[in-house]
Amino acid sequence: MGTLALCSHYSQLSWKRSVIVAMLLFHLCCLQVWASCRILRCNSDFVAVTLDLGGSGGGGGGGSREGNAGYCSALRSYAMCTRRMARACRGDLAYHSAVQGIEDLLIQHSCPRTGPTAQPRPLPQAPISGDACIYEKGYVQREGRTPDYLHCGVFGDPHVRTFRDEFQTCAVQGAWPLIDNEYLYVQATSAPMRGGAYATALITITIIFKNWRQCIEQQIYQAELDNVPAAFLDGSVTSGERQGQHSLSIHSDLPGRQAEIRAAHIGTTLVVRQSGRSLGLSVRSPSAIAEAFTPEQDLQLCVYGCPPSQRLETLPSPSSSSSLSSSSSSSQPSAAAHVHCAALLPARDIYYQACLFDLLATGDLNSSMAAVAALEDARGMFSDPNKVHLLLVGKADGSSPCLPLILAVGVLSEHLVALWTGQYL
């Protein structure tokens, strides 16, 4: 009896200890989510924008037309900020109150849902000098070496090569942010293609260069299918002139189909091009720029890839012919796709896999050109040619939001089973 009592007491202690550990880890994980809700930042930005408007926008629509337009721009910026906070602020009462308040104000002032947005009023800044608007030169002067650059490519159905060299195929439709950091916002819109079971394609790419110090004011570029302009939205081809140099410049080697934007103030190059019936984007950016974002900016396809629920399984290796055959009506189209893509992309890397996927999904030979163009852009953006080709390697999914919690639950389950089966006895 004494032994049974001792074992029973030990079981209770183990059970309690497991519960405490699991609850503590759960609490820590939740704190990481709750702490990232920064709705007050959206509120303060909105107040800063509307300071110069006075009462023109807030008096029930009785102000001037210019004032009301400015107020609508501020409201749209406010709404955009809250959308970016949606995941981090889920369940926050202040956040949901702000969302409802914005909705009411948009209706009250008859503001269009789409249109220009406003930037917060910049704080006074000291003059900058020298080469402060040329990122790479300033970095070399400070660090004695060139920056570490990262590459992201989005192309085809769409496929994403992230800044972390992960490769994914996404089923996303509608507008999704590719990059969202302190200097740059890039959004892509995808839509279903004709033909194929689940084929989608990028039809619009919008790039917003954010106002930064005294180098540039906000500048917007937008490309659409069959219209890849070699100019910004305002018609200019340069921006941010300083000492005879421009922080932003744009040119095209293939007008209407390709545009290259150089942002010297952040050391970033972006190439937008149309291949077949889809747009593609290639980005080369210093790691310090690509990683300059806050916790609430957690939806970026170029950083984190597409959400797990939106990922499609990429085609297996060529040796898995039986799997490929199930993706099409017969094995013959699969074999023809292999031959076609191997002739264009002999390295059998992620671009080859993307070529196969797009060709089998659409049945259109022109769809293979998206992968070819993405590879060419990658070659121009990597200084080390050995990094260009990325092999598709199966690996464990590391997308779990809180691995310690899962491990704790596993330990807790073992104790429960042990108690139920009388193992401790």
Side-chain angles (χ1 to χ4, degrees):
M1 289 294 293
T3 302
L4 287 175
L6 180 62
C7 289
S8 177
H9 179 66
Y10 174 76
S11 300
Q12 292 177 4
L13 288 178
S14 300
W15 158 253
K16 292 179 180 179
R17 190 176 297 112
S18 299
V19 171
I20 291 172
V21 171
M23 291 181 66
L24 177 60
L25 289 174
F26 177 76
H27 181 65
L28 291 174
C29 289
C30 290
L31 281 178
Q32 293 177 359
V33 176
W34 294 332
S36 64
C37 179
R38 300 183 182 181
I39 187 60
L40 293 180
R41 176 178 175 178
C42 296
N43 299 344
S44 61
D45 285 350
F46 175 69
V47 171
V49 170
T50 54
L51 280 176
D52 293 332
L53 297 176
S56 59
S64 67
R65 180 177 301 177
E66 292 79 5
N68 193 62
Y71 193 73
C72 288
S73 296
L75 282 173
R76 284 190 291 267
S77 295
Y78 196 5
M80 181 183 297
C81 184
T82 58
R83 284 196 296 271
R84 287 161 51 183
M85 300 279 188
R87 182 180 301 179
C89 294
R90 186 181 296 114
D92 187 279
L93 292 179
Y95 167 79
H96 291 288
S97 297
V99 171
Q100 186 59 52
I102 294 169
E103 183 70 19
D104 294 341
L105 288 172
L106 286 169
I107 295 173
Q108 178 183 348
H109 294 278
S110 302
C111 295
R113 303 285 172 174
T114 59
T117 56
Q119 290 288 313
R121 187 174 62 176
L123 297 174
Q125 296 173 333
I128 58 176
S129 57
D131 298 318
C133 291
I134 304 178
Y135 180 89
E136 183 168 336
K137 187 174 292 187
Y139 188 94
V140 171
Q141 291 174 351
R142 292 192 312 271
E143 306 293 334
R145 62 178 180 86
T146 57
D148 296 323
Y149 286 96
L150 303 177
H151 168 66
C152 173
V154 184
F155 60 97
D157 195 13
H159 311 285
V160 181
R161 177 177 182 166
T162 71
F163 284 135
R164 302 172 181 178
D165 277 342
E166 297 173 345
F167 179 72
Q168 297 170 1
T169 299
C170 306
V172 295
Q173 293 187 23
W176 290 78
L178 304 181
I179 299 173
D180 182 12
N181 58 46
E182 297 302 307
Y183 309 95
L184 186 64
Y185 181 81
V186 182
Q187 177 178 282
T189 302
S190 61
M193 293 180 65
R194 294 180 180 178
Y198 43 76
T200 57
L202 300 182
I203 59 171
T204 305
I205 294 176
T206 303
I207 304 170
I208 301 176
F209 296 93
K210 301 179 181 180
N211 181 60
W212 191 73
R213 300 177 68 181
Q214 297 175 21
C215 295
I216 67 162
E217 296 182 354
Q218 178 177 283
Q219 188 61 272
I220 301 175
Y221 175 84
Q222 187 170 74
E224 298 176 339
L225 202 61
D226 297 325
N227 181 24
V228 182
F232 295 105
L233 204 58
D234 62 3
S236 64
V237 295
T238 58
S239 183
E241 183 178 2
R242 179 179 175 81
Q243 298 179 353
Q245 296 180 319
H246 295 92
S247 295
L248 285 178
S249 61
I250 183 171
H251 74 276
S252 175
D253 295 329
L254 190 61
R257 306 281 293 185
Q258 181 263 5
E260 180 176 319
I261 306 172
R262 294 186 180 273
H265 67 294
I266 54 175
T268 299
T269 301
L270 304 98
V271 176
V272 181
R273 70 170 69 247
Q274 179 170 338
S275 301
R277 298 305 302 163
S278 68
L279 297 176
L281 175 74
S282 295
V283 182
R284 179 180 185 258
S285 186
S287 58
I289 298 296
E291 296 167 357
F293 54 86
T294 55
E296 63 267 16
Q297 295 168 298
D298 61 347
L299 185 56
Q300 304 182 60
L301 300 194
C302 273
V303 177
Y304 301 107
C306 48
S309 62
Q310 298 292 322
R311 296 175 189 172
L312 295 176
E313 183 178 354
T314 307
L315 290 177
S317 62
S319 60
S320 304
S321 58
S322 59
S323 299
L324 282 173
S325 298
S326 63
S327 300
S328 57
S329 58
S330 66
S331 60
Q332 185 174 358
S334 297
H338 280 300
V339 172
H340 179 76
C341 292
L344 296 172
L345 301 157
R348 305 295 179 97
D349 55 5
I350 61 169
Y351 300 103
Y352 169 81
Q353 296 284 355
C355 174
L356 283 178
F357 187 100
D358 292 349
L359 191 51
L360 292 177
T362 65
D364 182 6
L365 289 176
N366 290 327
S367 66
S368 61
M369 298 312 298
V372 175
L375 175 58
E376 289 304 312
D377 287 339
R379 285 194 177 115
M381 293 185 173
F382 279 105
S383 57
D384 183 357
N386 294 323
K387 295 182 178 180
V388 174
H389 297 284
L390 186 64
L391 299 179
L392 191 63
V393 180
K395 59 181 180 179
D397 183 18
S399 60
S400 174
C402 191
L403 184 58
L405 176 59
I406 296 174
L407 295 176
V409 171
V411 173
L412 182 59
S413 300
E414 290 181 0
H415 282 292
L416 283 172
V417 172
L419 287 173
W420 290 338
T421 57
Q423 179 175 334
Y424 288 113
L425 300 176

